[in-house]
Amino acid sequence: MFFLKFILSTLIILININSISKAETLTFPTNLVANTTDFVLLSTSGTTPSISGYSGTLLFSAVASAGNIKVTDTSNVLKAAGYCGYTSDASAEPTDCSGNSLTEVGFRGSQNDINTAIATLSFKGDGSTGSPTITVSVTPAGTNYFSGNGHYYEIVSSTDITWTAAKTAAEASTLYGLTGYLATITSAAENSFLSSKINANAWIGASDDGDYTSNSHAQTEGTWEWVTGPENGKTLTCQLEDVGGKGSLAAHEDCSVHSDTTYENWATNEPNDWPDANPSQEDYGHIRSNGTWNDFKNNQGVDFYIIEYGGMPGETATTSTQINLTIESIEASGSTYNVFDDEELVGMVDAENESASRLARNSLDSVLDRLHEFRLRKENKGFSGNNISLQVNLNDVSKNYQDIINHYASKGLSSLVSYAENKKRNDTVTNDWQYWFNGKISTGRTGLKNNKLGKQNDMDTITIGFDKLANNTLFGIAFNLADDETDISNFGTNLKMRAENVMLYSAWNKKSFYIDSVLGYGSLKSLTQRVVDRSNPTNLVGGDRSSEQFYGTTYLNHIKNLNNTDFQIFAGLDYIYTDFNAYSENGNDQKLSFKSHSLTNYTSSIGSTLFYKKENKNSDLLSFYKIEYKQDHSEKATVQASLISDSSNTIYSYNYNVPYNYFMKIETGLNLKTHRDLNIYSKIGRIQKSNDDFQNFITIEFSQPF
């Protein structure tokens, strides 16, 4: 079985909305997956087709340029001429609109009745190359919309009406602020459209009557012009004459057909009122039920005429009556479709890779902060007790911190209290082991740039560690829990990722040299939510993904003592490897199956820190100033996915690259130690990335040994 999948990608409102009729709206999906075997309801996209703001009896139509469409519930609507095989309007159900080979459906009814019917509108592909379209229109009953030129047409019944009377009546008619005129047919498509909607002879706006033509020709008889609407005065058929009296008919020398009105569809041997020596005044054009044209006398028993609306200078329709739905055949020959053309999807994929890297670096930073504090004091009294860290983007603080504090109080602090109580009761607890507690809340933003959606992320973490100083080495173990949430764009696509980490660390000291090392393992859990139809933000797909990562860092530090001032220079290397497992989304037919992929991040860094110490009787104060340059050497990650509904399992690929080459980190802070061993540590800083993204942050820490 050969499947084609189609993505319904673009919604174009073709008619301006300028007046009170703005209340008239059409709601249709912008994304749909279909195949060549089964009809797929448009409503499976998550958006059920509907109309609103209309009154009276309406004509609904839908036309597919390729593939097939059908409506399975037509119990409350009526037949419409020219649609579903019906030749005239009738007060009966249009049962043939449910056929399997239709390219056009249409029916009449009230707004509610039409909504009931189009809720069952479905589509099936036919394997066509290119981008077929579905054209949907809603007009008052008796009118039709032709997408080929954006004009409206009304077929009017009037027994034995003359051409001149029909012309007058048409020009006195209006629709949506447009002035009517007898129809002028300038293309085969327009002619076919009109002939399919009538089953009788009908007047059109062509004539060779000198009272209506431009009189620019030596003779008017036999020279036909459009004499109505925007084509008024344009020649469509030249008179014929016997050239040289040899029986060879040709156009008169002063006649030429206008280049933009070259289409004509006269029946065989028509018009036939010229070169008859005694013309019978068949000077007025009409279209037959089979689509061919004929010349008729003014009073020759025509019962219909066609009014056309649109195209007059300065006129614009004032209602939203028509939409075009473009379908791209993603497996047709020459197709360039890729599921990753979707900005919401790319934003989610980028966010997932960025979140994993951010969580790993956050875990590393929590331990490096511990080692930084150890080096500041050159003693193992670090973050014992309650150490609360707050890191925020100064431009955007919007998180409910109370929930996070409650979460950590129940999960982390209780463990610390229990440990402290056990320590009091158990004299065997070794006093040179210390424990520390670190909590952090942060938020950051990424701007819209390079055709990528902007993102906002919020992270909260808790870290608990235990370490011991032995000889010249501090070594320990730390456990970290972190939640990172990213909002992509403004439509509802978002990512939630949780990391559970365990880390081993050490700080080796030899005189003025320190070597900091951290090794970590993290288990990741991602929850994705992706908008597939921006016109309907509730149309979502989502998934649940597990991943794991390994990471580590090493820093070489050298400190130079200068009285009350210490100067530190350092260099470091970071490594993060993340293995994303395969997973599948849940939801509508736009859901994807993702293959596993890996992401490797490398960074190298150099920097310096200046420490200044001031002591007094009751406290001492350390201030520091730090600058760090990090160069990114990360590898690209290839992300692959396929549509779950695609039995042929076509694989689409996207290459993720870290969006910056380097970043600068600047910090300044204070560490106050009181005579009661209370440590107050704070810092403020900025991270500036090469792609102009940045983050401002403040960190405040409190610690006191038990």
mmCIF file of all heavy atoms in Angstrom, residues 557-583:
data_model
loop_
_atom_site.group_PDB
_atom_site.id
_atom_site.type_symbol
_atom_site.label_atom_id
_atom_site.label_comp_id
_atom_site.label_asym_id
_atom_site.label_seq_id
_atom_site.Cartn_x
_atom_site.Cartn_y
_atom_site.Cartn_z
ATOM 1 N N ASN A 557 43.557 26.105 39.316
ATOM 2 C CA ASN A 557 43.533 27.432 39.912
ATOM 3 C C ASN A 557 44.886 27.756 40.542
ATOM 4 O O ASN A 557 45.508 26.903 41.191
ATOM 5 C CB ASN A 557 42.466 27.524 41.001
ATOM 6 C CG ASN A 557 41.096 27.061 40.528
ATOM 7 O OD1 ASN A 557 40.310 27.834 40.022
ATOM 8 N ND2 ASN A 557 40.795 25.761 40.713
ATOM 9 N N HIS A 558 45.339 28.963 40.370
ATOM 10 C CA HIS A 558 46.558 29.456 41.024
ATOM 11 C C HIS A 558 46.228 30.764 41.716
ATOM 12 O O HIS A 558 45.669 31.691 41.098
ATOM 13 C CB HIS A 558 47.683 29.669 40.020
ATOM 14 C CG HIS A 558 48.905 30.309 40.625
ATOM 15 N ND1 HIS A 558 49.654 29.717 41.615
ATOM 16 C CD2 HIS A 558 49.492 31.511 40.367
ATOM 17 C CE1 HIS A 558 50.660 30.515 41.951
ATOM 18 N NE2 HIS A 558 50.576 31.614 41.212
ATOM 19 N N ILE A 559 46.541 30.837 43.029
ATOM 20 C CA ILE A 559 46.241 32.014 43.824
ATOM 21 C C ILE A 559 47.534 32.662 44.289
ATOM 22 O O ILE A 559 48.412 32.005 44.866
ATOM 23 C CB ILE A 559 45.361 31.659 45.031
ATOM 24 C CG1 ILE A 559 44.016 31.091 44.555
ATOM 25 C CG2 ILE A 559 45.129 32.881 45.901
ATOM 26 C CD1 ILE A 559 43.089 30.689 45.675
ATOM 27 N N LYS A 560 47.666 33.963 44.087
ATOM 28 C CA LYS A 560 48.799 34.763 44.505
ATOM 29 C C LYS A 560 48.368 35.652 45.658
ATOM 30 O O LYS A 560 47.414 36.432 45.538
ATOM 31 C CB LYS A 560 49.303 35.609 43.342
ATOM 32 C CG LYS A 560 50.477 36.520 43.672
ATOM 33 C CD LYS A 560 51.750 35.766 43.792
ATOM 34 C CE LYS A 560 52.951 36.699 43.966
ATOM 35 N NZ LYS A 560 54.207 35.930 44.174
ATOM 36 N N ASN A 561 49.020 35.521 46.806
ATOM 37 C CA ASN A 561 48.680 36.302 47.985
ATOM 38 C C ASN A 561 49.432 37.625 47.991
ATOM 39 O O ASN A 561 50.664 37.658 47.880
ATOM 40 C CB ASN A 561 49.011 35.522 49.257
ATOM 41 C CG ASN A 561 48.277 34.209 49.342
ATOM 42 O OD1 ASN A 561 48.882 33.141 49.309
ATOM 43 N ND2 ASN A 561 46.949 34.268 49.463
ATOM 44 N N LEU A 562 48.686 38.710 48.166
ATOM 45 C CA LEU A 562 49.241 40.065 48.206
ATOM 46 C C LEU A 562 48.620 40.797 49.386
ATOM 47 O O LEU A 562 47.648 41.526 49.246
ATOM 48 C CB LEU A 562 48.978 40.811 46.903
ATOM 49 C CG LEU A 562 49.525 40.174 45.614
ATOM 50 C CD1 LEU A 562 48.982 40.910 44.392
ATOM 51 C CD2 LEU A 562 51.030 40.212 45.597
ATOM 52 N N ASN A 563 49.183 40.563 50.618
ATOM 53 C CA ASN A 563 48.642 41.147 51.843
ATOM 54 C C ASN A 563 47.174 40.757 52.006
ATOM 55 O O ASN A 563 46.851 39.587 52.121
ATOM 56 C CB ASN A 563 48.837 42.666 51.857
ATOM 57 C CG ASN A 563 50.307 43.043 51.876
ATOM 58 O OD1 ASN A 563 51.118 42.379 52.533
ATOM 59 N ND2 ASN A 563 50.680 44.126 51.174
ATOM 60 N N ASN A 564 46.283 41.755 51.976
ATOM 61 C CA ASN A 564 44.862 41.489 52.129
ATOM 62 C C ASN A 564 44.170 41.183 50.802
ATOM 63 O O ASN A 564 42.940 41.067 50.752
ATOM 64 C CB ASN A 564 44.158 42.666 52.807
ATOM 65 C CG ASN A 564 44.565 42.810 54.257
ATOM 66 O OD1 ASN A 564 44.876 41.824 54.933
ATOM 67 N ND2 ASN A 564 44.568 44.062 54.742
ATOM 68 N N THR A 565 44.935 41.072 49.750
ATOM 69 C CA THR A 565 44.387 40.842 48.423
ATOM 70 C C THR A 565 44.948 39.556 47.845
ATOM 71 O O THR A 565 46.158 39.326 47.894
ATOM 72 C CB THR A 565 44.692 42.011 47.472
ATOM 73 O OG1 THR A 565 44.186 43.224 48.024
ATOM 74 C CG2 THR A 565 44.068 41.776 46.111
ATOM 75 N N ASP A 566 44.083 38.713 47.339
ATOM 76 C CA ASP A 566 44.475 37.500 46.626
ATOM 77 C C ASP A 566 44.066 37.626 45.163
ATOM 78 O O ASP A 566 42.953 38.087 44.847
ATOM 79 C CB ASP A 566 43.807 36.259 47.223
ATOM 80 C CG ASP A 566 44.325 35.931 48.622
ATOM 81 O OD1 ASP A 566 45.378 36.476 48.999
ATOM 82 O OD2 ASP A 566 43.650 35.150 49.318
ATOM 83 N N PHE A 567 44.955 37.217 44.290
ATOM 84 C CA PHE A 567 44.687 37.230 42.858
ATOM 85 C C PHE A 567 44.722 35.795 42.333
ATOM 86 O O PHE A 567 45.706 35.092 42.521
ATOM 87 C CB PHE A 567 45.708 38.099 42.125
ATOM 88 C CG PHE A 567 45.502 38.145 40.637
ATOM 89 C CD1 PHE A 567 44.428 38.837 40.087
ATOM 90 C CD2 PHE A 567 46.360 37.479 39.775
ATOM 91 C CE1 PHE A 567 44.229 38.884 38.722
ATOM 92 C CE2 PHE A 567 46.171 37.521 38.414
ATOM 93 C CZ PHE A 567 45.096 38.231 37.872
ATOM 94 N N GLN A 568 43.646 35.384 41.706
ATOM 95 C CA GLN A 568 43.516 34.023 41.209
ATOM 96 C C GLN A 568 43.395 34.025 39.692
ATOM 97 O O GLN A 568 42.654 34.827 39.121
ATOM 98 C CB GLN A 568 42.282 33.337 41.808
ATOM 99 C CG GLN A 568 42.000 31.955 41.248
ATOM 100 C CD GLN A 568 40.639 31.409 41.673
ATOM 101 O OE1 GLN A 568 39.803 32.149 42.163
ATOM 102 N NE2 GLN A 568 40.443 30.122 41.490
ATOM 103 N N ILE A 569 44.112 33.140 39.048
ATOM 104 C CA ILE A 569 43.905 32.852 37.633
ATOM 105 C C ILE A 569 43.527 31.384 37.520
ATOM 106 O O ILE A 569 43.955 30.551 38.340
ATOM 107 C CB ILE A 569 45.152 33.173 36.778
ATOM 108 C CG1 ILE A 569 46.367 32.371 37.251
ATOM 109 C CG2 ILE A 569 45.441 34.673 36.785
ATOM 110 C CD1 ILE A 569 47.580 32.534 36.348
ATOM 111 N N PHE A 570 42.708 31.059 36.511
ATOM 112 C CA PHE A 570 42.241 29.684 36.391
ATOM 113 C C PHE A 570 41.969 29.346 34.932
ATOM 114 O O PHE A 570 41.782 30.233 34.076
ATOM 115 C CB PHE A 570 40.978 29.452 37.230
ATOM 116 C CG PHE A 570 39.824 30.336 36.886
ATOM 117 C CD1 PHE A 570 38.945 30.011 35.861
ATOM 118 C CD2 PHE A 570 39.616 31.518 37.583
ATOM 119 C CE1 PHE A 570 37.870 30.833 35.546
ATOM 120 C CE2 PHE A 570 38.548 32.353 37.271
ATOM 121 C CZ PHE A 570 37.671 32.004 36.256
ATOM 122 N N ALA A 571 41.949 28.059 34.670
ATOM 123 C CA ALA A 571 41.589 27.524 33.356
ATOM 124 C C ALA A 571 40.808 26.238 33.583
ATOM 125 O O ALA A 571 41.067 25.503 34.535
ATOM 126 C CB ALA A 571 42.824 27.271 32.495
ATOM 127 N N GLY A 572 39.824 25.976 32.707
ATOM 128 C CA GLY A 572 38.986 24.808 32.923
ATOM 129 C C GLY A 572 38.499 24.176 31.631
ATOM 130 O O GLY A 572 38.524 24.788 30.558
ATOM 131 N N LEU A 573 38.034 22.928 31.764
ATOM 132 C CA LEU A 573 37.433 22.173 30.673
ATOM 133 C C LEU A 573 36.131 21.552 31.174
ATOM 134 O O LEU A 573 36.099 20.988 32.275
ATOM 135 C CB LEU A 573 38.368 21.072 30.166
ATOM 136 C CG LEU A 573 39.667 21.500 29.489
ATOM 137 C CD1 LEU A 573 40.548 20.278 29.237
ATOM 138 C CD2 LEU A 573 39.386 22.209 28.171
ATOM 139 N N ASP A 574 35.079 21.641 30.373
ATOM 140 C CA ASP A 574 33.797 21.017 30.670
ATOM 141 C C ASP A 574 33.465 19.988 29.601
ATOM 142 O O ASP A 574 33.779 20.189 28.415
ATOM 143 C CB ASP A 574 32.657 22.044 30.713
ATOM 144 C CG ASP A 574 32.817 23.065 31.820
ATOM 145 O OD1 ASP A 574 33.534 22.778 32.788
ATOM 146 O OD2 ASP A 574 32.214 24.149 31.700
ATOM 147 N N TYR A 575 32.807 18.925 30.009
ATOM 148 C CA TYR A 575 32.347 17.899 29.074
ATOM 149 C C TYR A 575 30.961 17.437 29.505
ATOM 150 O O TYR A 575 30.743 17.115 30.678
ATOM 151 C CB TYR A 575 33.309 16.709 29.042
ATOM 152 C CG TYR A 575 32.791 15.522 28.254
ATOM 153 C CD1 TYR A 575 32.933 15.469 26.873
ATOM 154 C CD2 TYR A 575 32.155 14.452 28.897
ATOM 155 C CE1 TYR A 575 32.467 14.387 26.139
ATOM 156 C CE2 TYR A 575 31.690 13.367 28.175
ATOM 157 C CZ TYR A 575 31.845 13.340 26.801
ATOM 158 O OH TYR A 575 31.369 12.267 26.084
ATOM 159 N N ILE A 576 30.018 17.429 28.576
ATOM 160 C CA ILE A 576 28.660 16.966 28.836
ATOM 161 C C ILE A 576 28.231 16.069 27.686
ATOM 162 O O ILE A 576 28.278 16.475 26.521
ATOM 163 C CB ILE A 576 27.662 18.133 28.971
ATOM 164 C CG1 ILE A 576 28.103 19.109 30.055
ATOM 165 C CG2 ILE A 576 26.262 17.609 29.277
ATOM 166 C CD1 ILE A 576 27.295 20.399 30.057
ATOM 167 N N TYR A 577 27.805 14.866 28.004
ATOM 168 C CA TYR A 577 27.281 13.952 26.997
ATOM 169 C C TYR A 577 25.862 13.556 27.399
ATOM 170 O O TYR A 577 25.643 13.025 28.489
ATOM 171 C CB TYR A 577 28.149 12.700 26.872
ATOM 172 C CG TYR A 577 27.583 11.667 25.907
ATOM 173 C CD1 TYR A 577 27.793 11.787 24.539
ATOM 174 C CD2 TYR A 577 26.829 10.590 26.379
ATOM 175 C CE1 TYR A 577 27.278 10.851 23.645
ATOM 176 C CE2 TYR A 577 26.308 9.655 25.499
ATOM 177 C CZ TYR A 577 26.531 9.792 24.136
ATOM 178 O OH TYR A 577 26.000 8.872 23.255
ATOM 179 N N THR A 578 24.904 13.816 26.519
ATOM 180 C CA THR A 578 23.510 13.502 26.785
ATOM 181 C C THR A 578 23.002 12.515 25.748
ATOM 182 O O THR A 578 23.160 12.730 24.540
ATOM 183 C CB THR A 578 22.641 14.774 26.747
ATOM 184 O OG1 THR A 578 23.187 15.766 27.622
ATOM 185 C CG2 THR A 578 21.224 14.457 27.185
ATOM 186 N N ASP A 579 22.401 11.440 26.227
ATOM 187 C CA ASP A 579 21.826 10.407 25.369
ATOM 188 C C ASP A 579 20.306 10.480 25.470
ATOM 189 O O ASP A 579 19.716 10.113 26.495
ATOM 190 C CB ASP A 579 22.336 9.037 25.793
ATOM 191 C CG ASP A 579 21.908 7.930 24.838
ATOM 192 O OD1 ASP A 579 21.566 8.247 23.681
ATOM 193 O OD2 ASP A 579 21.940 6.755 25.248
ATOM 194 N N PHE A 580 19.640 10.987 24.410
ATOM 195 C CA PHE A 580 18.190 11.100 24.369
ATOM 196 C C PHE A 580 17.600 9.815 23.802
ATOM 197 O O PHE A 580 17.902 9.426 22.676
ATOM 198 C CB PHE A 580 17.756 12.284 23.495
ATOM 199 C CG PHE A 580 18.177 13.631 24.010
ATOM 200 C CD1 PHE A 580 19.379 14.200 23.622
ATOM 201 C CD2 PHE A 580 17.367 14.342 24.878
ATOM 202 C CE1 PHE A 580 19.767 15.442 24.083
ATOM 203 C CE2 PHE A 580 17.738 15.592 25.349
ATOM 204 C CZ PHE A 580 18.948 16.137 24.950
ATOM 205 N N ASN A 581 16.733 9.175 24.564
ATOM 206 C CA ASN A 581 16.099 7.947 24.097
ATOM 207 C C ASN A 581 15.010 8.244 23.074
ATOM 208 O O ASN A 581 14.475 9.346 23.006
ATOM 209 C CB ASN A 581 15.496 7.168 25.273
ATOM 210 C CG ASN A 581 16.547 6.641 26.214
ATOM 211 O OD1 ASN A 581 17.669 6.351 25.813
ATOM 212 N ND2 ASN A 581 16.203 6.510 27.491
ATOM 213 N N ALA A 582 14.676 7.254 22.265
ATOM 214 C CA ALA A 582 13.574 7.374 21.313
ATOM 215 C C ALA A 582 12.251 7.481 22.070
ATOM 216 O O ALA A 582 12.089 6.926 23.156
ATOM 217 C CB ALA A 582 13.552 6.183 20.365
ATOM 218 N N TYR A 583 11.290 8.192 21.470
ATOM 219 C CA TYR A 583 9.953 8.277 22.061
ATOM 220 C C TYR A 583 8.959 8.692 20.990
ATOM 221 O O TYR A 583 9.339 9.171 19.916
ATOM 222 C CB TYR A 583 9.919 9.252 23.238
ATOM 223 C CG TYR A 583 9.756 10.705 22.856
ATOM 224 C CD1 TYR A 583 8.562 11.374 23.079
ATOM 225 C CD2 TYR A 583 10.801 11.418 22.275
ATOM 226 C CE1 TYR A 583 8.415 12.714 22.746
ATOM 227 C CE2 TYR A 583 10.664 12.752 21.944
ATOM 228 C CZ TYR A 583 9.464 13.395 22.180
ATOM 229 O OH TYR A 583 9.309 14.717 21.831
#
